[in-house]
Amino acid sequence: MFKRTLVVLAVVALFASMLILSANATDGTLYTQGNLEWSLDASTGVVTAHITEAATNGVIHFEDYKDGEWKTFTKDNGNVITKIVIENVEGRQVITKVTGGFNGAKLETIVFPKTVESIGQREGGWGFTSKAIKTIGPEGTPEGTCDLSSITQGWSDYHYKNFFTNVACSTFILPNISAYIVPQMFNSASGFKEITIPENITAIKAAGFNNCLRLKKITITSAKTVVDEKAFKDCSQFYTIVGHKDSTAYTCAQKNGYEFVDINTGEVILEGTIELGIDPDTVFPWKWEDGDAKGNLYAEYNGNRNVNTNWAWYEAEKTLVFFDNKPGSWNETGAQSAVSEGDGHWMDYADKIEKIAVGPEIDKISSGAFKDLPNLKYVQIDGPYQIDGNAFLNCTSLVSVYRAYTNPQEGVADLTSISTINSGILRNTGIETVILKNDISAVNATAFYGCKNII
């Protein structure tokens, strides 16, 4: 009985050690999860993924990236991975479907075999959701290209909403299948300037290309493709539709002032009248390395760094800029008391600051972050979706808070990108009008004390 107990304990200990190894797979050893078998070369960040020998169908699943953690690889490994290579193994089931989400701070490339008929299907959508991702497709796909031409299965709103959110691909090759561009399918995918819609794509729904800031031109192959009038919502550079005159693509161009080019003749049959927005390549021109003074701002919460932000001061522009130093994870500007490593602290320039720019992927403007700055006039926000209490308290010269890719408006705070707003953020400032997002989740009763108009 004693020997049997020892054997059981040994098996339990072995199983526990296997779990620990699986959670920290960095040695090239094979690990499994469902039908998925994978290994990670930690020196290169390359994951090699197969179907298991025991699999009875061709489906593998990368468990969703959720609550800041990629469940398949764990949070730590998710921040190491640069490339995922999905391969068929001779003698095993052929991979036909890859489900789940792909997200990681450094994940740039996803390679899959041409036998895959469907990829990225995920409950609630969000298949590829990282600004680092720039190449998706079979082996040999050129860098910067998303090539889905081998995909044969269609998709639905629920599983493909935000499918390409934020991805940096400069070229998209879509499958010629009976499907449609679902709402927000290309939400904030800002790496590409042109795209061609194959003839069997049946529709482009409202906001299908929402906030694609570099998209300038679309070619719609079929006259039967139904194009919603709001398909290119907030695409500030969008100007040209190439398509068939007797089509909804033409109607969309008419309604919005887009240029329309006849696909058969190449003739411009509608002159564009829409005014283009700000060139996205000029919106955030600052580089941390070029700052006249710079440092790393950090603070801890419950033993973990919740602030890990690079700041830089540009003397000629009287501008303070915050850069994310922990991409893919929670980050915030930090309060004025946060510790700074580098050339002093940005507070050394508090009396000089006229503009603050908060860069992309910074999640929150911290409590009291910029209060009492006497000469602060403009705040440009890109990434934050939360502003904590008293963030701009007593900034008496502040006259505009505006979203990146828009122009500042005197006396206006455009907070349409912010979901949570806490107490007194604009108290005793020069802001009179506040514009909120339609589905804002939380606004403190004292947030806009002294403001005259809330829209």
Side-chain angles (χ1 to χ4, degrees):
M1 181 67 183
F2 180 69
K3 288 183 178 180
R4 183 180 300 173
T5 302
L6 287 177
V7 170
V8 171
L9 289 173
V11 170
V12 170
L14 177 62
F15 181 68
S17 66
M18 289 175 65
L19 286 177
I20 293 171
L21 282 171
S22 179
N24 298 279
T26 57
D27 59 1
T29 305
L30 288 176
Y31 301 90
T32 62
Q33 182 183 54
N35 278 358
L36 177 65
E37 177 181 83
W38 60 278
S39 63
L40 168 63
D41 182 340
S43 65
T44 62
V46 176
V47 165
T48 304
H50 313 105
I51 202 163
T52 60
E53 190 173 6
T56 57
N57 59 45
V59 180
I60 60 173
H61 178 67
F62 290 85
E63 191 171 347
D64 299 341
Y65 188 93
K66 188 176 181 181
D67 299 329
E69 185 172 345
W70 199 351
K71 303 298 184 182
T72 293
F73 302 113
T74 78
K75 184 176 181 179
D76 290 339
N77 290 332
N79 289 331
V80 169
I81 296 167
T82 60
K83 183 176 182 179
I84 296 175
V85 180
I86 303 168
E87 298 177 335
N88 283 315
V89 174
E90 187 175 352
R92 300 185 185 183
Q93 292 282 333
V94 172
I95 301 171
T96 57
K97 190 172 185 178
V98 179
T99 60
F102 295 86
N103 193 336
K106 297 182 179 179
L107 176 61
E108 294 184 353
T109 305
I110 299 105
V111 177
F112 58 85
K114 289 187 176 180
T115 58
V116 171
E117 299 170 355
S118 173
I119 188 169
Q121 178 178 312
R122 179 181 185 272
E123 187 175 344
W126 303 84
F128 304 93
T129 57
S130 172
K131 291 181 179 180
I133 296 174
K134 57 185 178 182
T135 307
I136 307 168
E139 189 68 49
T141 298
E143 183 176 333
T145 298
C146 173
D147 183 357
L148 299 185
S149 58
S150 60
I151 298 301
T152 60
Q153 291 188 15
W155 44 67
S156 64
D157 287 8
Y158 182 68
H159 290 103
Y160 288 86
K161 182 178 180 181
N162 293 300
F163 192 60
F164 296 114
T165 286
N166 292 328
V167 299
C169 301
S170 56
T171 301
F172 284 90
I173 304 173
L174 300 179
N176 190 17
I177 58 176
S178 180
Y180 54 89
I181 307 299
V182 310
Q184 299 185 52
M185 190 169 185
F186 288 84
N187 183 40
S188 299
S190 298
F192 69 116
K193 296 180 178 180
E194 298 186 19
I195 192 168
T196 296
I197 306 300
E199 62 180 8
N200 287 320
I201 299 293
T202 58
I204 303 175
K205 300 289 188 176
F209 290 94
N210 179 61
N211 201 41
C212 296
L213 297 173
R214 287 181 175 80
L215 179 61
K216 298 177 181 289
K217 177 181 176 182
I218 189 167
T219 299
I220 301 173
T221 309
S222 173
K224 296 180 180 179
T225 300
V226 178
V227 182
D228 190 280
E229 293 174 6
K230 297 181 179 180
F232 308 102
K233 183 177 180 291
D234 293 332
C235 296
S236 59
Q237 297 292 298
F238 188 72
Y239 193 74
T240 302
I241 297 178
V242 179
H244 299 266
K245 183 175 180 180
D246 298 321
S247 68
T248 54
Y250 181 83
T251 304
C252 175
Q254 278 185 314
K255 292 282 188 180
N256 293 284
Y258 302 141
E259 177 184 73
F260 191 87
V261 178
D262 189 292
I263 196 170
N264 295 311
T265 66
E267 178 186 0
V268 176
I269 57 178
L270 273 181
E271 297 289 343
T273 60
I274 192 168
E275 184 177 344
L276 297 182
I278 298 171
D279 182 346
D281 294 324
T282 68
V283 167
F284 202 82
W286 304 282
K287 294 182 179 179
W288 183 75
E289 295 80 4
D290 296 337
D292 296 300
K294 51 188 177 289
N296 172 246
L297 201 69
Y298 75 90
E300 292 188 352
Y301 179 73
N302 288 339
N304 297 311
R305 283 198 177 187
N306 63 328
V307 176
N308 193 13
T309 307
N310 286 335
W311 64 269
W313 167 249
Y314 302 85
E315 179 69 31
E317 303 172 61
K318 298 295 185 287
T319 296
L320 174 68
V321 182
F322 290 83
F323 304 82
D324 185 19
N325 194 35
K326 192 173 61 172
S329 301
W330 176 267
N331 207 352
E332 55 186 273
T333 61
Q336 295 176 5
S337 59
V339 177
S340 183
E341 300 171 316
D343 298 345
H345 194 293
W346 69 260
M347 280 293 292
D348 298 338
Y349 310 94
D351 291 342
K352 293 183 176 183
I353 298 168
E354 295 182 4
K355 179 177 178 178
I356 290 174
V358 181
E361 294 195 12
I362 295 179
D363 301 284
K364 184 173 80 168
I365 295 177
S366 305
S367 177
F370 309 120
K371 66 179 182 179
D372 301 319
L373 300 183
N375 295 305
L376 177 63
K377 298 177 182 177
Y378 301 101
V379 176
Q380 175 182 309
I381 54 178
D382 194 347
Y385 61 84
Q386 180 173 333
I387 302 179
D388 273 3
N390 301 323
F392 305 107
L393 176 68
N394 295 331
C395 293
T396 55
S397 299
L398 180 61
V399 293
S400 182
V401 180
Y402 64 101
R403 295 172 58 196
Y405 312 105
T406 65
N407 289 310
Q409 301 177 66
E410 202 82 0
V412 176
D414 180 352
L415 304 183
T416 52
S417 62
I418 307 298
S419 298
T420 303
I421 297 172
N422 288 298
S423 60
I425 64 166
L426 296 174
R427 185 167 185 169
N428 200 21
T429 68
I431 299 295
E432 295 186 348
T433 299
V434 179
I435 306 174
L436 300 176
K437 67 185 302 186
N438 291 331
D439 58 346
I440 189 165
S441 57
V443 178
N444 185 278
T446 66
F448 309 125
Y449 185 89
C451 299
K452 297 178 181 179
N453 307 302
I454 309 296
I455 301 173

